[in-house]
């Protein structure tokens, strides 16, 4: 049986592997979504600045709820 040793901060190498694997899947998923021509057209119309302006109020509400 293999033993899993914890690092100094309480995490294991397995946790780090899962986290990096999750990040890789998110990046891959975003790439698949953005490769769709319809989505690219829609993103071109909105622009990154417009998208950021629409997201900021939702993020602020999330942090207020989390602080409760």
């Amino acid at each position: 049986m293999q033993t899993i040793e914890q690092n100094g901060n309480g995490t294991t190498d397995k946790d780090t592997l899962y986290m990096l694997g999750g990040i890789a899947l998110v990046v891959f998923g975003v790439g698949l979504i953005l490769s769709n021509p319809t989505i690219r057209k829609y993103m071109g119309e909105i622009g990154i600045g417009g998208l950021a302006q629409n997201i900021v109020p939702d993020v602020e509400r999330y942090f207020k709820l989390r602080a409760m």
Side-chain angles (χ1 to χ4, degrees):
M1 181 178 274
Q2 180 183 3
T3 59
I4 299 174
E5 296 181 26
Q6 289 189 350
N7 297 335
N9 59 359
T11 61
T12 62
D13 292 334
K14 197 173 193 179
D15 294 335
T16 305
L17 181 65
Y18 286 150
M19 181 185 67
L20 293 175
I23 291 171
L25 286 173
V26 167
V27 170
F28 180 71
V30 168
L32 284 176
I33 291 169
L34 292 178
S35 67
N36 187 328
T38 307
I39 300 293
R40 273 195 268 158
K41 179 183 162 197
Y42 183 66
M43 291 295 291
E45 291 173 3
I46 293 177
I48 299 299
L51 184 63
Q53 288 175 352
N54 293 336
I55 290 176
V56 169
D58 293 333
V59 173
E60 289 175 351
R61 269 185 270 152
Y62 169 75
F63 283 124
K64 285 180 186 176
L65 289 172
R66 189 170 179 199
M68 289 183 168

